């Protein structure tokens, strides 16, 4: 699940009331990362009523990109102080694994168990995450000032999606494993605003700058599967799209107060009892009729309304949303730019208006003068649990020596000298990346010029 992020940018956090530089959910929505004025924070999302801050670093100010690799100790950080440099940390040990410098400001970083991708305004760098070797540089990509891109979390189908045009909504789908372009999807008439893959990397959802229509395409074929209408009354800025873990639902948040959840169900003949339902009958009727109407009319018939909705207390601020299973129940999580996390219950059968289950402050009362008043009618928790200090986290003992390592290095940016990131079963199947020795600190040195320049930790 590619959750997206709410962020300021290389020039610094922007927008009224912005409490942090960025917010991003990890690939399986088990943790939330915040970039702040003083560093970054990581929160565990395993419980609804309790929000645990598992790490806080004050080493780097004004963080505007922070991405965690699943539940591992690997965290990627970019700050406004050095927007052309990416730092990779082993946060449990409090050590830097490596850092890479690029010719221009870094706008986005995406990672999965095989690839790490760095997006600049007119180029994309693809690294092998095991040793950070630079595998491919996509130069002269269409101007992408927001750094819009998506990387699938599936390690065997590692697809990258990015805008194929600066003026219309074309999507380039690139195979980051085999390093070749897969397809170009003519998704929208206006430029793209949001992209996300489902967990299995078989579907890609997109929205344009108009924000009225969300489309879902098959991957790698690029065929249009679903088209959802978010609204026709006004254009909106969609800030994030996210599939549910099972791929059956898609949520979309914007600068309005409404978060929409769409259900990916095919109306039409499917056999069994479902074929006899009224909705299936109507679906078949629409499908048959669509072949007799112009494309615009038939397209409207295939659109659907939101299956479920959430109405936030405020609008006009950046936020990031995701769908996750917490304590065995489906939830919608929304992190807002004023430093709050809302957790809603989702009814997967009937949909409708989602109920607010819990609301957490992402900052303590001493951080940046937390608002003294809270909106009425919402359940509010106290400040998030205090994070362990950076020193205390770094002092955590190692659970054992690392035995399997990669020692090779490449002139185009691979590891050199010292202890390197261990070999993983990235291509063989899912692994549990929750051990602090999954990514031990390594010493890298690489001198030279150009993008992807790694330096000694």
């Amino acid at each position: 699940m590619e959750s997206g992020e709410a962020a300021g940018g290389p020039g610094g956090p922007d927008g009224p009331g912005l409490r942090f530089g960025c917010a991003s959910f990890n690939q399986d929505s088990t943790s939330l990362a915040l970039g702040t004025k003083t560093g970054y924070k990581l929160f565990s999302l395993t419980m609804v009523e309790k929000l645990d801050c598992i790490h806080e670093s004050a080493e780097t100010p004004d963080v505007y990109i922070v991405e965690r690799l699943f539940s591992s100790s690997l965290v990627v950080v970019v700050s406004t102080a050095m927007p052309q440099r990416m730092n990779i940390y082993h946060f449990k040990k409090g050590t830097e694994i490596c850092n890479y410098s690029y010719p221009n400001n870094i706008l986005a970083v995406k990672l999965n168990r095989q690839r790490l991708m760095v997006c600049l305004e007119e180029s994309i760098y693809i690294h092998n995450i095991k040793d950070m070797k630079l595998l491919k540089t996509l130069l002269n990509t269409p101007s992408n000032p927001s750094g819009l891109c998506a990387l699938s979390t599936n390690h065997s189908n590692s697809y990258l999606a990015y805008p194929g045009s600066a003026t219309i909504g074309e999507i380039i789908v690139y195979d980051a494993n085999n390093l070749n372009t897969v397809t170009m999807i003519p998704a929208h008439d206006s430029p793209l605003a949001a992209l996300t893959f489902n967990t299995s990397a078989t579907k890609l959802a997109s929205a344009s700058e108009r924000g009225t229509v969300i489309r879902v395409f098959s991957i790698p074929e690029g065929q249009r599967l679903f088209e959802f209408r978010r609204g026709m009354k006004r254009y909106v800025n969609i800030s994030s799209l996210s599939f549910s873990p099972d791929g059956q639902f898609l949520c979309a948040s914007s600068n309005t107060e409404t978060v929409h959840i769409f259900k990916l169900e095919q109306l039409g003949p499917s056999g069994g009892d479902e074929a006899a339902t009224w909705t299936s009958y109507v679906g078949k009727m629409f499908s048959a009729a669509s072949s007799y109407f112009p494309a615009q009319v038939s397209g409207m018939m295939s659109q659907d309304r939101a299956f479920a909705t959430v109405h936030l207390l405020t609008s006009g601020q950046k936020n990031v949303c995701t769908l996750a299973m917490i304590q065995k129940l489906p939830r919608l999580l929304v992190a807002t730019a004023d430093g709050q996390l809302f957790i809603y219950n989702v009814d997967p059968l009937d949909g409708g208006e989602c109920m607010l289950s819990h609301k957490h402050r992402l900052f303590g009362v001493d951080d940046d003068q937390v608002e003294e008043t809270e909106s009425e009618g919402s359940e509010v928790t106290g400040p998030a649990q205090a994070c362990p200090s950076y020193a205390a986290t770094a002092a955590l003992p190692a659970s054992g020596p690392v035995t399997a390592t990669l020692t090779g290095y490449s002139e185009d940016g691979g590891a050199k000298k010292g202890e390197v990131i261990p070999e993983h079963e990235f291509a063989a199947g899912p692994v549990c990346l929750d051990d602090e020795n999954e990514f031990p600190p390594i010493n890298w040195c690489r001198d030279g010029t150009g993008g992807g320049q790694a330096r000694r930790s």
Side-chain angles (χ1 to χ4, degrees):
M1 186 269 319
E2 188 78 20
S3 300
E5 64 183 26
D14 55 6
L18 191 67
R19 300 295 310 284
F20 46 80
C22 63
S24 66
F25 295 98
N26 67 341
Q27 294 85 351
D28 55 5
S29 297
T30 57
S31 70
L32 170 67
L34 295 184
T36 70
K37 295 180 180 179
T38 57
Y40 67 90
K41 294 184 177 185
L42 300 176
F43 296 92
S44 174
L45 301 175
T46 57
M47 299 183 66
V48 172
E49 296 81 9
K50 185 179 181 182
L51 185 65
D52 287 330
C53 181
I54 57 178
H55 180 70
E56 179 175 9
S57 169
E59 298 294 301
T60 307
D62 294 323
V63 171
Y64 71 91
I65 293 176
V66 56
E67 297 285 342
R68 182 185 184 189
L69 179 61
F70 288 91
S71 297
S72 76
S73 305
L74 189 149
V75 177
V76 180
V77 176
V78 184
S79 75
T80 58
M82 302 187 73
Q84 297 179 10
R85 190 174 79 176
M86 172 185 68
N87 298 83
I88 302 179
Y89 296 105
H90 186 297
F91 77 83
K92 288 185 180 179
K93 290 186 175 181
T95 56
E96 181 182 80
I97 296 175
C98 64
N99 63 71
Y100 256 62
S101 296
Y102 299 86
N104 296 300
N105 289 352
I106 300 170
L107 302 179
V109 176
K110 304 295 180 183
L111 59 163
N112 60 27
R113 290 187 173 108
Q114 275 201 276
R115 297 290 182 257
L116 185 148
M117 184 275 301
V118 179
C119 180
L120 312 186
E121 183 170 354
E122 294 182 345
S123 58
I124 297 175
Y125 294 79
I126 301 173
H127 295 266
N128 179 17
I129 203 169
K130 297 178 184 179
D131 56 6
M132 278 304 293
K133 175 183 175 182
L134 180 62
L135 301 175
K136 185 76 173 181
T137 304
L138 304 177
L139 296 173
N140 301 317
T141 57
S143 179
N144 184 13
S146 65
L148 176 63
C149 55
L151 180 67
S152 64
T153 62
N154 186 288
H155 59 272
S156 58
N157 295 316
S158 190
Y159 292 116
L160 166 67
Y162 62 94
S165 169
T167 56
I168 59 175
E170 292 181 350
I171 305 172
I172 300 295
V173 179
Y174 188 88
D175 187 333
N177 282 349
N178 298 310
L179 304 178
N180 61 274
T181 300
V182 175
T183 188
M184 189 282 291
I185 303 174
H188 302 271
D189 293 332
S190 55
L192 299 169
L195 293 168
T196 190
F197 288 97
N198 66 341
T199 303
S200 60
T202 57
K203 294 182 178 66
L204 173 69
S206 67
S208 72
E209 289 182 351
R210 292 184 177 181
T212 54
V213 172
I214 297 168
R215 295 189 171 110
V216 177
F217 302 90
S218 65
I219 299 297
E221 300 83 8
Q223 296 180 350
R224 187 188 302 183
L225 301 177
F226 299 93
E227 185 172 277
F228 303 110
R229 183 161 295 279
R230 196 215 58 82
M232 297 181 63
K233 296 181 180 179
R234 53 179 174 173
Y235 292 166
V236 301
N237 299 318
I238 291 183
S239 55
S240 68
L241 292 172
S242 179
F243 282 97
S244 60
D246 62 3
Q248 297 301 305
F249 298 91
L250 175 68
C251 65
S253 65
S254 67
N255 59 334
T256 71
E257 68 282 358
T258 306
V259 179
H260 296 80
I261 300 176
F262 301 97
K263 189 172 184 179
L264 281 70
E265 56 181 352
Q266 204 78 47
L267 293 180
S270 59
D273 295 337
E274 183 180 353
T277 64
W278 183 84
T279 54
S280 178
Y281 172 78
V282 174
K284 287 189 290 184
M285 180 179 66
F286 280 172
S287 178
S290 64
S291 60
Y292 298 99
F293 292 102
Q296 289 181 338
V297 178
S298 62
M300 289 290 292
M301 284 190 173
S302 68
Q303 293 164 4
D304 198 1
R305 300 186 66 85
F307 171 77
T309 55
V310 159
H311 290 88
L312 303 174
L313 300 175
T314 59
S315 63
Q317 62 180 359
K318 292 184 179 180
N319 59 66
V320 58
C321 65
T322 190
L323 291 164
M325 294 293 292
I326 301 180
Q327 294 170 301
K328 300 181 180 181
L329 292 176
R331 320 278 186 174
L332 170 71
L333 285 70
V334 184
T336 59
D338 60 353
Q340 298 183 87
L341 175 67
F342 296 88
I343 302 179
Y344 296 87
N345 295 331
V346 180
D347 186 336
L349 297 178
D350 297 327
E353 182 72 16
C354 300
M355 297 296 296
L356 178 65
S357 176
H358 234 72
K359 173 182 166 184
H360 297 281
R361 290 178 181 173
L362 299 175
F363 294 86
V365 291
D366 294 328
D367 291 337
D368 245 3
Q369 297 180 350
V370 172
E371 304 87 9
E372 294 181 358
T373 60
E374 298 291 346
S375 301
E376 297 180 0
S378 297
E379 184 175 0
V380 182
T381 70
Q385 180 174 322
C387 296
S389 68
Y390 189 86
T393 305
L396 289 175
S399 59
V402 178
T403 55
T405 59
L406 295 175
T407 56
Y409 111 101
S410 165
E411 284 300 325
D412 58 356
K416 179 181 179 181
K417 296 183 180 179
E419 196 177 20
V420 298
I421 298 174
E423 183 72 70
H424 292 88
E425 300 174 28
F426 289 149
V431 294
C432 182
L433 300 178
D434 57 2
D435 185 271
E436 67 178 76
N437 284 314
E438 288 287 351
F439 291 94
I442 61 176
N443 290 325
W444 291 19
C445 61
R446 164 116 173 105
D447 297 322
T449 59
Q453 177 179 339
R455 299 192 181 278
R456 182 183 298 275
S457 299

